[in-house]
Amino acid sequence: MGNTAASMLDDIFAYIDARSENYIRRLIDYARHPAISAQNRGIAEVSGMLVDMLAGLGMVAEAVPTAGHPMVLARYEAGPEMPTILLYGHYDVQPPEPLELWKSPPFEPTIRDGRIWGRGLGDNKGQHFAQILAIEAHLVVSGRLPCNVILLLEGEEEIGSPHIADFVRTHADRLRADLVVTADGGRHQSGLPLILYGVRGVFSFELRARTGSRDAHSGNYGGVMPNAVWKLVHLLASMKTPAGEITIAGLADPVRAATATERAAIARLPDDMPAYMKEAGLTELDAPRDRPLFDRLMFHPTLTINGLHGGYGGPGSKTVLPSEAVAKCDIRLVEAMTVEQVRTCVAEHVKKFAPDVEFVPQGGMQPSRTSMDSPWRAVLREAVVQAQGIEPLELPSRDYSRAHFL
Amino acid sequence: MGNTAASMLDDIFAYIDARSENYIRRLIDYARHPAISAQNRGIAEVSGMLVDMLAGLGMVAEAVPTAGHPMVLARYEAGPEMPTILLYGHYDVQPPEPLELWKSPPFEPTIRDGRIWGRGLGDNKGQHFAQILAIEAHLVVSGRLPCNVILLLEGEEEIGSPHIADFVRTHADRLRADLVVTADGGRHQSGLPLILYGVRGVFSFELRARTGSRDAHSGNYGGVMPNAVWKLVHLLASMKTPAGEITIAGLADPVRAATATERAAIARLPDDMPAYMKEAGLTELDAPRDRPLFDRLMFHPTLTINGLHGGYGGPGSKTVLPSEAVAKCDIRLVEAMTVEQVRTCVAEHVKKFAPDVEFVPQGGMQPSRTSMDSPWRAVLREAVVQAQGIEPLELPSRDYSRAHFL
């Protein structure tokens, strides 16, 4: 970073520091206006407020209609030769109910113990409003931004983003960027800032076994009628060994090995698993036992049985021979696995090992992983250091600690 | 059988034939008196009726008290050098409810389509009353019986015979016999009379896995926290191969091979499995595929999963990682396996393969099998032929067809 740029940043930080009270007051005012996507409440008002505010900064801003709630889309143009950064956030919030559990009213943000308490402050208004204020401060002090900036604020994140895929496809040209930053999480549970480079994907499926038109009596038909639960037990056992090795042919073929940069980032992560294990009552980690902790979460697919149900489940014993059973499973995908590839591998495995078991593919989400060798990594890290005065932790992929935030 | 004996039997059959109307009327009168063990209704009256009737035949008869309902025990003494036959039956019946499903009142037996309809006629009053009438006819015509006879009529069979084991232990001397005949079933579904030489035993148990104090999210802890359902799947898969071979060490060691006599008896049995399979919607028999039908039911233990439940079982998918799961299983025992031997083998298997899974033994029943090479076999067969004019089928052990009776 050149001297001029560094000096400019100092001026901007000084400008921001001088206005922190004002910024907090404006954030609180913003958070007084609920946009509750699940209740279709306040959407037009808040999206309109944002468009006005962003247009006031000189950005080209509009609320773009979708089949659901509008997307607030704003653009600052630094020049076609300049890099483009897209900042994603969402202006909708969760419903505040049950109201009786709030110590202060959800839409009258209150400062208590050095924190602002109110609906949406931590998810996601605090984050994207800070970005808007940063853009404002930069523009006021320097008269320009050093790159093109696209700001995309969704109004349906809290109801599962049902229209964002369509929106991105339709408006791909307006969304093209060199870097996408999503500031919609928390810090690492250690308290350190965190840059997350990827998430695991998921593919869910059901296995349904039916061995007859009705249950039978084990004393009369044991050894004669096939047992639907046994069929699933043997099929599942053919998919993963007791030692934890997934044995579905081809499933893990696309998996990329961790890079040296990723390994180095992992080596910096605190291992608070012993505390978690104690809290969760675990006496051992899952097989395979010799796999390093973060490798389990970032570099290997998992095959989880979410549920398996068949036959009698009441008190005592019942000599039933079950004719049907269902297993629900999910596979966590790491780069470069894909939902389609995994679905094909599982389908072929079931067809080979238990062709009479019905394979029912369900929802899926692709995994993502941004290369930590990207030149943008240094920019991001430097931004965090400049803003917070501390080196961030970096996760190649999401780890268990995120459970404390989501 | 000597000529004198044959001639005597002819006389007895002639006597019986001449009194068939009278016998049916007396059976119907007997069946008008309910002894409903589950409702503690009519027990004293019916057991008293039986004692009076048997004493009237010259037998030494009494209602022997137990901790529950009394046992009717009667003895005819032919002489200490003569063989002793014990006939078992039960005078209690099932409750008749729901009453609205009866075409004629349950305790007003009615003849319809050549059958007597009423509660207890087929289970078990018809059978033991026929035996009592046979004793009566034999005594009237010949003045004596050719063997000692013990008649044991239980009053708690329909509530699971809770006191018969104690009773047999306490009164072993009075119950000592060369042959025990239980006439408490039906004919074979082919319509042929049936002599059953044994039943499979059973041992039930639960397997309980707990891998943590609470369920987790598969996206956060997949690959980290052990999965209780996977633990049971792998443990169960270690107990039986997909090819149907039970792999619990020592379990089948005591099993006796079928004798030539048993093989010959089996060869006479009709194989109505294709019809059953169609009715029950089966497309294949259980593994192992090359095992002959009746061998499955009589000469090999089975390991049935009665139920397996863990994790999510509702609609759609849920990315849960289950911390607990329970499997309920039963093992069918063939001679000369024992409940104790099987319990030990399963306990040792679980300890070896999954020491953290809880093994919870439950109820058991020993298997039984009377040798078909016993000299009594010819006597029994001849009795059926003499009484019914047709050769009975013989089962070394109970088969699936009994499901149609019980």
Side-chain angles (χ1 to χ4, degrees):
Chain A
M1 192 168 285
N3 278 343
T4 316
S7 156
M8 178 69 72
L9 260 188
D10 288 342
D11 292 346
I12 292 170
F13 285 136
Y15 179 87
I16 289 171
D17 288 342
R19 278 156 190 80
S20 62
E21 291 295 324
N22 171 270
Y23 286 175
I24 289 169
R25 190 183 51 70
R26 287 169 65 190
L27 171 60
I28 287 176
D29 184 62
Y30 175 41
R32 280 187 209 277
H33 296 83
I36 307 173
S37 47
Q39 300 172 345
N40 195 13
R41 181 178 155 204
I43 300 293
E45 183 196 356
V46 175
S47 59
M49 279 177 65
L50 287 166
V51 169
D52 290 348
M53 190 188 319
L54 297 165
L57 297 180
M59 297 179 84
V60 178
E62 67 172 309
V64 184
T66 73
H69 302 325
M71 303 276 180
V72 172
L73 185 61
R75 184 178 185 97
Y76 173 87
E77 194 67 30
E81 77 291 357
M82 303 296 275
T84 302
I85 295 177
L86 189 156
L87 304 172
Y88 165 88
H90 61 92
Y91 64 87
D92 65 329
V93 300
Q94 284 279 350
E97 289 79 11
L99 294 174
E100 61 273 20
L101 296 185
W102 287 86
K103 289 189 185 168
S104 48
F107 297 112
E108 294 173 25
T110 306
I111 296 177
R112 207 161 58 237
D113 304 327
R115 289 165 181 266
I116 310 175
W117 298 88
R119 172 56 86 215
L121 270 299
D123 182 12
N124 171 253
K125 284 180 167 173
Q127 293 94 326
H128 65 253
F129 201 74
Q131 292 171 327
I132 294 171
L133 292 174
I135 291 170
E136 178 190 279
H138 206 297
L139 286 170
V140 169
V141 175
S142 77
R144 50 176 285 279
L145 300 185
C147 57
N148 303 314
V149 173
I150 300 168
L151 195 64
L152 173 62
L153 299 175
E154 186 184 3
E156 297 184 312
E157 197 272 352
E158 298 291 4
I159 53 171
S161 301
H163 301 106
I164 200 166
D166 262 352
F167 178 82
V168 170
R169 268 190 293 270
T170 307
H171 299 279
D173 281 346
R174 299 172 71 181
L175 299 171
R176 213 169 298 279
D178 298 285
L179 174 69
V180 175
V181 176
T182 298
D184 189 22
R187 288 171 176 262
H188 188 267
Q189 60 179 344
S190 61
L192 293 171
L194 180 66
I195 302 174
L196 192 60
Y197 289 83
V199 291
R200 293 199 281 194
V202 66
F203 169 62
S204 297
F205 60 97
E206 279 188 16
L207 300 171
R208 298 182 190 159
R210 176 174 275 286
T211 53
S213 54
R214 59 187 181 200
D215 292 351
H217 185 284
S218 70
N220 296 314
Y221 293 99
V224 174
M225 176 171 148
N227 182 318
V229 181
W230 266 121
K231 202 160 277 265
L232 289 190
V233 163
H234 283 133
L235 173 57
L236 288 164
S238 76
M239 292 179 161
K240 189 164 87 164
T241 69
E245 186 198 359
I246 297 176
T247 45
I248 299 170
L251 192 90
D253 286 357
V255 174
R256 294 199 285 104
T259 64
T261 315
E262 288 168 340
R263 287 260 163 244
I266 289 169
R268 280 194 58 219
L269 296 175
D271 173 6
D272 48 7
M273 187 42 69
Y276 170 75
M277 287 179 69
K278 194 174 169 190
E279 185 196 342
L282 307 194
T283 54
E284 56 176 6
L285 291 186
D286 198 15
R289 300 192 179 210
D290 57 353
R291 183 170 286 170
L293 175 59
F294 293 106
D295 284 43
R296 295 166 179 270
L297 292 152
M298 300 177 188
F299 303 119
H300 294 276
T302 63
L303 170 51
T304 298
I305 302 172
N306 306 126
L308 174 50
H309 293 273
Y312 183 67
S317 58
K318 188 174 175 186
T319 53
V320 66
L321 197 166
S323 62
E324 50 184 330
V326 177
K328 293 171 186 278
C329 303
D330 74 48
I331 293 177
R332 295 285 158 175
L333 283 55
V334 297
E335 279 282 329
M337 297 166 74
T338 68
V339 171
E340 297 70 28
Q341 167 248 340
V342 166
R343 185 169 52 221
T344 301
C345 290
V346 177
E348 284 174 2
H349 185 95
V350 174
K351 196 173 171 187
K352 181 175 172 192
F353 285 86
D356 49 350
V357 169
E358 188 186 1
F359 166 62
V360 185
Q362 295 179 319
M365 187 181 80
Q366 304 291 3
S368 70
R369 183 139 20 119
T370 298
S371 170
M372 288 186 70
D373 295 314
S374 157
W376 288 100
R377 180 185 173 215
V379 176
L380 273 174
R381 288 175 53 86
E382 181 66 16
V384 174
V385 172
Q386 288 284 350
Q388 306 193 23
I390 190 168
E391 288 270 342
L393 289 177
E394 294 174 287
L395 293 182
S397 184
R398 178 170 157 168
D399 79 342
Y400 63 91
S401 70
R402 305 284 294 172
H404 297 267
F405 305 125
L406 296 182
Chain B
M1 190 170 288
N3 279 343
T4 316
S7 156
M8 178 68 73
L9 260 188
D10 288 343
D11 293 347
I12 293 169
F13 284 137
Y15 179 87
I16 290 171
D17 288 342
R19 276 154 191 81
S20 62
E21 292 295 324
N22 172 272
Y23 286 176
I24 289 170
R25 189 184 50 72
R26 287 170 65 192
L27 171 60
I28 287 176
D29 184 60
Y30 176 42
R32 279 188 211 277
H33 297 82
I36 306 172
S37 47
Q39 300 171 345
N40 196 14
R41 183 178 154 204
I43 300 293
E45 184 196 355
V46 174
S47 58
M49 279 177 65
L50 287 166
V51 169
D52 290 348
M53 191 189 316
L54 296 166
L57 296 179
M59 298 179 86
V60 178
E62 67 173 309
V64 183
T66 72
H69 304 325
M71 303 277 180
V72 172
L73 184 62
R75 182 178 186 96
Y76 174 88
E77 195 66 29
E81 77 290 357
M82 305 294 276
T84 303
I85 296 177
L86 189 156
L87 305 172
Y88 166 88
H90 61 92
Y91 64 87
D92 66 328
V93 300
Q94 284 279 349
E97 290 80 11
L99 295 173
E100 62 272 21
L101 296 184
W102 288 85
K103 289 189 182 168
S104 49
F107 298 112
E108 294 173 25
T110 305
I111 298 177
R112 209 163 54 238
D113 304 326
R115 290 163 181 266
I116 310 175
W117 298 87
R119 172 56 88 215
L121 270 298
D123 182 13
N124 168 255
K125 284 179 166 172
Q127 292 95 326
H128 66 253
F129 201 74
Q131 292 172 326
I132 293 171
L133 292 175
I135 292 169
E136 179 191 278
H138 206 296
L139 286 170
V140 169
V141 174
S142 78
R144 52 177 284 278
L145 300 186
C147 58
N148 304 313
V149 174
I150 301 167
L151 195 65
L152 173 62
L153 301 175
E154 187 184 3
E156 298 184 312
E157 198 271 350
E158 298 292 4
I159 54 172
S161 300
H163 301 106
I164 202 166
D166 262 352
F167 179 82
V168 170
R169 268 190 292 270
T170 306
H171 300 280
D173 282 346
R174 300 172 70 181
L175 298 170
R176 213 168 300 279
D178 298 285
L179 175 68
V180 175
V181 176
T182 298
D184 188 22
R187 288 170 177 262
H188 188 268
Q189 61 179 342
S190 61
L192 293 172
L194 179 67
I195 302 175
L196 191 60
Y197 289 82
V199 291
R200 293 199 280 194
V202 66
F203 169 62
S204 297
F205 61 95
E206 279 188 16
L207 300 171
R208 298 181 190 160
R210 175 174 276 284
T211 53
S213 54
R214 58 186 183 201
D215 292 351
H217 184 284
S218 71
N220 296 314
Y221 292 99
V224 174
M225 177 172 147
N227 183 317
V229 180
W230 267 121
K231 202 159 278 262
L232 289 189
V233 163
H234 283 133
L235 173 57
L236 289 164
S238 76
M239 292 178 160
K240 189 165 88 165
T241 69
E245 187 198 358
I246 297 176
T247 44
I248 298 170
L251 193 90
D253 287 356
V255 174
R256 294 199 286 104
T259 65
T261 315
E262 288 168 340
R263 286 261 164 246
I266 289 167
R268 280 194 59 219
L269 296 175
D271 174 5
D272 47 8
M273 187 42 70
Y276 170 75
M277 287 179 69
K278 193 175 172 191
E279 186 195 341
L282 307 194
T283 53
E284 56 176 5
L285 290 186
D286 198 16
R289 300 194 179 208
D290 57 354
R291 183 170 287 170
L293 175 58
F294 292 106
D295 284 43
R296 297 167 178 268
L297 291 153
M298 299 177 190
F299 303 119
H300 294 276
T302 63
L303 171 50
T304 298
I305 301 171
N306 305 126
L308 175 50
H309 294 273
Y312 184 66
S317 57
K318 187 175 174 185
T319 53
V320 66
L321 196 165
S323 62
E324 51 184 330
V326 176
K328 292 169 187 282
C329 302
D330 74 48
I331 293 177
R332 296 286 157 176
L333 283 54
V334 297
E335 278 282 327
M337 297 166 74
T338 69
V339 171
E340 297 70 28
Q341 169 248 336
V342 167
R343 184 170 53 220
T344 301
C345 291
V346 177
E348 284 174 2
H349 185 96
V350 174
K351 197 173 169 186
K352 180 175 171 190
F353 284 87
D356 50 347
V357 169
E358 188 186 2
F359 165 62
V360 185
Q362 295 179 319
M365 187 182 80
Q366 305 291 4
S368 69
R369 187 148 6 128
T370 298
S371 170
M372 289 186 71
D373 296 314
S374 157
W376 288 102
R377 179 185 173 214
V379 177
L380 273 173
R381 290 175 52 87
E382 181 64 18
V384 174
V385 172
Q386 289 283 350
Q388 306 194 24
I390 190 166
E391 289 271 341
L393 289 177
E394 294 173 288
L395 294 182
S397 184
R398 180 170 155 168
D399 81 339
Y400 63 91
S401 69
R402 306 283 293 171
H404 297 267
F405 305 126
L406 296 182

